[in-house]
Amino acid sequence: MKGLKTFPRGGIHPHGNKNLTNSKEIVKADIPGILVVPMAQHLGAPAQAAVAEGDVVTEGQLIGKAAGFISAAVHSPVNGTVKEIRDVFMANGMKSSAVVIEKEEGFVPAEKSKSDSWKDKSAQELNETIKDSGIVGLGGATFPANVKYGVPKGEKAEYLIINGVECEPYLSADHRLMLEKTEAIIEGLRILKKIVEPEKIAIGIEINKPDAIEKIRKQAEAENFELEVVPLKLKYPQGDEKQLIKAVTGREVPSGALPISVGCVVSNVGTVNAVYEAVALEKPLYERTVSVTGHGVKNPGNYLVRVGTPIRQLIEASGGMADKFAKVVIGGPMMGFTVFDLDTPVTKGTSGILVLTDREVSGGQRTACLSCGKCVGVCPMGLNPTKMFKYIDHDEYQSAMDTGLMDCKECGCCAFTCPAHIPLVQGMRLGKKMGRKKVS
Ligand code: SF4
Ligand code: SF4
């Protein structure tokens, strides 16, 4: 289709593999007997446990207090008893304290009913509810949502842009949400309109989801809700907030600046649904939609999952692993993390669990850089990945940072396209970590 908007610089077109799950309705996953709920599920300071071993907890009860401005509260996903508080490893390899809860026997999740009482609340009160409900960006970034929605004094949000792009291959949880929770999403947008006070609201959806484009557009029209639905050309990483802003508005967020510097606030469509649930259903964030997919799992599907559920259980619910699986990834194949422990719990940031076969795992022997420049051509941030990697390889972290390392989104376009199979993204991640250490 000609004339579709997209971001102009770099980007790639990996095989989507969305057809494994994009027609699979979201089903409620079984709730395990033991749930391991980490305190560090978000960007910023980990929450501090607000319960102790032996405490009886109820579904939705605060079990972790936000520990600073950039932090998020954590809530119990079930009625049960705190068995212990211990350290666990997260998908990204970081350690986190976690509250281990044994589910009460015969536990039945509470039914939530919709209330309109939020309409009498002020913008500040509503954002406070979002904060107290532990809402974070569900697209994977897990940035505390209330901080994003609290537009600083003197700034103005011209655009509230909703991210319905879901450009990572395989994942379809957001696609299904747009189809199955359309009314909730529009109500969530009404809530955000009151908090953020944007001049315009737009939702960007890639053209491989024509049913979602149609459904959202029709629902907004039926409710007389002013929403610009922007169909976008397929291109990865369009779900990155800077690329999405560029695609929808043509504006460029400067290096090191936030979207509000160009009058934009961006929020993922799953987060909008979570905002609706927090405000209109008074339900904190303790479950989310997860795609369990890849050719290494027998029956891929989409699930509504309680935080703290081991990924092993979801793989089993999807028919278990096929004989020839090569690796398990949490998140998408481009930006996700390979996990080795199937007891790793689902967290607020878990958008997908991929079980991939050898055929799906791009491999190949690493060779010396061919100086082909392909990585430079596909970098959406206009960086020089090969140059930065060489600096990092020689422990010259400051030089890598001076070359723009901190602007790297770790999107993986460079590594995907590199014919020499150089682990460019791993290099960028390491370089950032080491660079930050040197500076602090
Ligand atoms: S991972 Fe970083 S360097 Fe590589 S393409 Fe993405 S933004 Fe550019
Ligand atoms: S794509 Fe790979 S081989 Fe080509 S210049 Fe970049 S790092 Fe070197």
Side-chain angles (χ1 to χ4, degrees), residues 369-431:
C369 174
L370 310 169
S371 300
C372 63
K374 285 186 177 170
C375 55
V376 180
V378 297
C379 179
M381 298 304 293
L383 303 173
N384 188 329
T386 180
K387 194 171 177 186
M388 291 191 297
F389 187 86
K390 279 172 193 158
Y391 282 135
I392 294 162
D393 220 18
H394 291 92
D395 298 339
E396 293 175 36
Y397 304 114
Q398 190 56 53
S399 301
M401 292 207 289
D402 294 344
T403 316
L405 179 61
M406 289 312 183
D407 282 336
C408 167
K409 310 296 264 187
E410 299 172 21
C411 67
C413 290
C414 51
F416 179 86
T417 205
C418 175
H421 305 291
I422 295 171
L424 293 161
V425 188
Q426 286 97 316
M428 303 306 159
R429 281 183 185 148
L430 174 76

Side-chain angles (χ1 to χ4, degrees), residues 342-393:
L342 297 185
D343 288 324
T344 303
V346 166
T347 63
K348 296 176 185 180
T350 307
S351 51
I353 297 164
L354 310 186
V355 185
L356 303 174
T357 59
D358 281 333
R359 205 165 44 83
E360 294 167 287
V361 176
S362 58
Q365 203 60 35
R366 178 178 167 178
T367 63
C369 174
L370 310 169
S371 300
C372 63
K374 285 186 177 170
C375 55
V376 180
V378 297
C379 179
M381 298 304 293
L383 303 173
N384 188 329
T386 180
K387 194 171 177 186
M388 291 191 297
F389 187 86
K390 279 172 193 158
Y391 282 135
I392 294 162
D393 220 18

